[in-house]
Amino acid sequence: MTSTQDAATAAAAPGTFAPAPGDEWWRTAVIYQIYPRSFADSDGDGIGDLPGITARLDSLADLGVDAIWLSPFMVSPQKDAGYDVADYCDVDPIFGTLADFDAMLARAHGLGIRVIVDLVPNHSSDQHTWFQQALASPPGSPERARYIFRDGRGENGDLPPNNWESVFGGPMWDRVTEPDGTPGQWYLHIFDSSQPDFDWTNPEVREQFRGVLRFWLDRGVDGFRIDVAHGLIKKDGLPDYTPPADGDSMGGDDDDVPYWGQPGVHDVWRDWHEVAAEYDGDRALCAEAWLPTPDKTALWVRPDELHQAFNFPYLTTEWDAAPLRTIITESLRAFPAVGAPSTWVLSNHDVIRHASRLALSGESPQGEGIGPLSAAQPIPELGLRRARAASTVMLALPGSAYVYQGEELGLPEAVDIPDSARQDPTWFRTKHEKYGRDGCRVPIPWEASAPAFGFNATGASWLPQPASWAEHARDVESRDPESTLSLYRQLLAERRAHGLGSATFTWLDGFPATVLAFRVDDVTVIANLGDSVVALPEGRILIASEGFTGRELPADTAVWLVAD
Ligand code: GLC
């Protein structure tokens, strides 16, 4: 039976969704995102590194993850925390060396953990040799043709070529000074001015990245997370575009945005699919593509393209049963319909941690961040309670789930970072109007009473850690059976034991509209998103996101039930 027939069969049985066929590891994997700057710091300089990761991998094996994804650790001036790459095939000295990478990979594989690395193909750093060569070469030269250089508008070319606004704020164009000292052409950067966009219609750019893929695949990586996978191709003629006032700057809107989701990107992914297929084992390609619906996102994971795409429509759905029911249904229909697993994610290094986001007292659009003066402030106890319930739902869903470092500790967003410590380019480019993403990137706590909570031995930390994080330290939570860490360990162990990653999913009827109720094979999941208690159906409570007595499920609580 083809995957299309599978989808048709699933559609015929209301509320029941069968997983897409296939036994590749990434279809069901729980993948843990390591943000290397903030995970573990072996040399005490305040920035995490690869040997730090290697030394702490045991704790991830203990947690029960299948794979790790490392945010970029390649050579970079760190203008955007490593998402500005100056050399794609070497490790930045702040993170270690290629030998440290190999040691980390070997240790992870020894523990049965696969390793995915982050690849940033939309743009390089302005310190990349190619961009430096472009600056030193004349307009129209092959060196300039690797990036997007254009003449300016206006009499002297002193206006940008179009009206596009950078995701981080300000114009998407910067003007260069030509080698002879005269004001020159403009170059395009969707993000910071230190992150010039490549021209992906240039075959040389494509060939360079085939080489980068092979470099890491030859070293033994199990796949790639592909940064800004919806941005590589820009619409012909670069027409003016003004996004909606309340729009999502990363591209989650319905509009035909001339720099997001242009059809030409799919040729690039077909090409990369073939490169990955040259290697043995199941090497996985996962798209970071901010698109408005699962159906649109599924176009990135058609059979000859990428394998997974982050389910951002799920991440951005509020804590409300009706829209969650819709997005889960749409995801379980749309991705298997093209033969791909659905993925699930609640937090990452770009969004407000879900232990805060799910209980914000007001709106805070994606990328905006929160700080001490934000109108929207998180309610900590409510946020943690909802986060635990939300994770208990997410980790029961069939497909592959992503967990961001620290969420297994129930970490909230760090709100009170002093202005002087902030580092996100969004903070600077919006002239301090938007806080940006520093609050979800603070180094994580390992030991409550050690310097920097065990992040390193010196106490240095590139972003300050809130004192209240002592109670979230891994050593404290390890000893507490009620902790969020204990909950995640249980969720991952039972998810594996019951094969939930490849389970058939069925919605259950007969519950209030504020409840999510479904079966995944032999496990029944009930989540109460309403204000009143809900009577539980039959079954032994296998896992509960909060302790409670009796058979009435409290508000903002989720359980997994099994037959006695
Ligand atoms: C992606 C990354 C984000 C980065 C941006 C530019 O969205 O996740 O952290 O700033 O790309 O590379």
Side-chain angles (χ1 to χ4, degrees):
M1 194 154 74
T2 66
S3 56
T4 320
Q5 284 167 320
D6 271 346
T9 313
T16 294
F17 303 91
D23 57 6
E24 297 91 341
W25 68 272
W26 41 264
R27 289 182 177 274
T28 55
V30 174
I31 303 174
Y32 182 97
Q33 180 187 358
I34 291 183
Y35 194 64
R37 299 176 72 82
S38 300
F39 187 71
D41 171 22
S42 71
D43 61 8
D45 65 354
I47 301 178
D49 48 42
L50 295 173
I53 296 171
T54 308
R56 294 286 193 183
L57 281 175
D58 284 3
S59 60
L60 300 185
D62 172 64
L63 177 61
V65 305
D66 300 297
I68 52 177
W69 143 39
L70 268 63
S71 281
F73 50 82
M74 294 81 184
V75 176
S76 160
Q78 304 292 320
K79 292 281 178 54
D80 185 22
Y83 283 94
D84 49 323
V85 179
D87 182 349
Y88 288 90
C89 297
D90 205 351
V91 171
D92 194 285
I94 63 170
F95 296 121
T97 61
L98 277 173
D100 292 331
F101 176 80
D102 292 341
M104 190 278 304
L105 186 69
R107 177 71 187 139
H109 283 168
L111 290 166
I113 296 175
R114 312 231 183 201
V115 177
I116 290 178
V117 298
D118 212 313
L119 193 56
V120 186
N122 179 68
H123 46 267
S124 69
S125 158
D126 59 358
Q127 299 307 305
H128 192 286
T129 321
W130 274 11
F131 194 70
Q132 291 299 312
Q133 288 171 349
L135 291 180
S137 304
S141 60
E143 287 81 3
R144 289 228 169 154
R146 295 163 178 154
Y147 293 90
I148 304 178
F149 279 86
R150 294 288 184 277
D151 293 332
R153 291 198 280 202
E155 211 178 311
N156 302 312
D158 45 13
L159 295 173
N162 68 22
N163 73 344
W164 296 357
E165 290 278 315
S166 151
V167 168
F168 292 158
M172 215 188 263
W173 297 91
D174 260 48
R175 193 171 196 186
V176 301
T177 302
E178 299 297 351
D180 66 3
T182 57
Q185 287 193 301
W186 298 71
Y187 67 91
L188 180 86
H189 53 88
I190 289 188
F191 297 93
D192 189 51
S193 54
S194 64
Q195 295 167 294
D197 281 42
F198 283 115
D199 183 347
W200 271 88
T201 63
N202 183 337
E204 214 187 333
V205 171
R206 297 191 181 211
E207 190 50 37
Q208 158 170 283
F209 274 93
R210 279 185 210 111
V212 173
L213 288 170
R214 292 195 176 102
F215 176 84
W216 292 104
L217 289 167
D218 287 341
R219 286 201 110 75
V221 304
D222 300 288
F224 299 91
R225 177 263 190 191
I226 301 160
D227 191 61
V228 195
H230 55 322
L232 276 57
I233 300 288
K234 282 73 181 175
K235 199 177 193 112
D236 276 350
L238 310 179
D240 277 353
Y241 172 74
T242 306
D246 58 350
D248 176 347
S249 58
M250 277 298 281
D253 301 318
D254 269 326
D255 277 19
D256 176 22
V257 184
Y259 42 88
W260 295 138
Q262 292 297 309
V265 294
H266 298 289
D267 289 342
V268 179
W269 307 139
R270 290 189 184 104
D271 188 30
W272 285 29
H273 182 98
E274 284 180 18
V275 174
E278 290 165 11
Y279 288 78
D280 58 4
D282 305 318
R283 315 289 177 118
L285 301 171
C286 176
E288 186 220 17
W290 291 85
L291 297 154
T293 61
D295 281 313
K296 288 202 174 163
T297 314
L299 299 176
W300 268 248
V301 291
R302 287 175 290 188
D304 57 348
E305 297 196 36
L306 304 178
H307 303 109
Q308 285 194 343
F310 290 105
N311 192 340
F312 292 129
Y314 176 72
L315 181 152
T316 50
T317 301
E318 65 267 45
W319 183 241
D320 184 346
L324 278 171
R325 200 174 294 115
T326 303
I327 198 69
I328 292 170
T329 301
E330 283 182 7
S331 304
L332 291 175
R333 177 186 48 71
F335 292 105
V338 294
S342 184
T343 64
W344 311 100
V345 60
L346 289 165
S347 280
N348 65 32
H349 66 293
D350 289 328
V351 301
I352 298 170
R353 283 185 173 278
H354 69 282
S356 296
R357 191 182 72 238
L358 298 181
L360 279 178
S361 54
E363 287 283 304
S364 179
Q366 203 280 105
E368 195 117 312
I370 40 174
L373 302 180
S374 300
Q377 290 294 326
I379 305 164
E381 296 73 24
L382 184 63
L384 181 56
R385 191 178 174 91
R386 288 184 174 171
R388 291 168 58 118
S391 301
T392 301
V393 170
M394 175 178 87
L395 291 167
L397 294 171
S400 175
Y402 280 80
V403 170
Y404 176 48
Q405 67 177 38
E407 72 170 76
E408 79 280 21
L409 304 172
L411 285 188
E413 187 83 353
V415 179
D416 287 317
I417 298 175
D419 288 358
S420 58
R422 292 197 175 270
Q423 308 211 12
D424 187 346
T426 307
W427 170 250
F428 299 107
R429 290 189 64 91
T430 62
K431 303 194 170 48
H432 303 183
E433 203 181 288
K434 295 182 184 174
Y435 284 104
R437 305 159 294 176
D438 290 322
C440 63
R441 298 177 172 183
V442 172
I444 60 172
W446 295 88
E447 286 120 28
S449 49
F453 300 132
F455 170 60
N456 57 25
T458 61
S461 178
W462 72 280
L463 285 171
Q465 298 165 299
S468 60
W469 281 18
E471 70 191 61
H472 291 289
R474 195 169 301 256
D475 63 341
V476 172
E477 294 208 10
S478 289
R479 294 190 294 266
D480 175 4
E482 307 288 305
S483 70
T484 306
L485 180 60
S486 297
L487 174 65
Y488 267 71
R489 277 187 186 144
Q490 247 187 312
L491 289 167
L492 294 191
E494 296 295 351
R495 175 186 167 88
R496 187 184 297 248
H498 291 264
L500 300 189
S502 55
T504 295
F505 175 103
T506 307
W507 285 115
L508 297 178
D509 293 332
F511 291 86
T514 50
V515 168
L516 294 174
F518 55 88
R519 268 185 86 79
V520 267
D521 286 356
D522 61 337
V523 176
T524 296
V525 178
I526 314 284
N528 182 4
L529 287 76
D531 297 329
S532 347
V533 296
V534 171
L536 285 178
E538 280 181 3
R540 176 169 62 85
I541 297 176
L542 183 64
I543 303 182
S545 65
E546 299 291 331
F548 63 98
T549 49
R551 299 292 296 178
E552 295 201 315
L553 186 66
D556 294 317
T557 307
V559 287
W560 291 12
L561 304 171
V562 287
D564 274 323

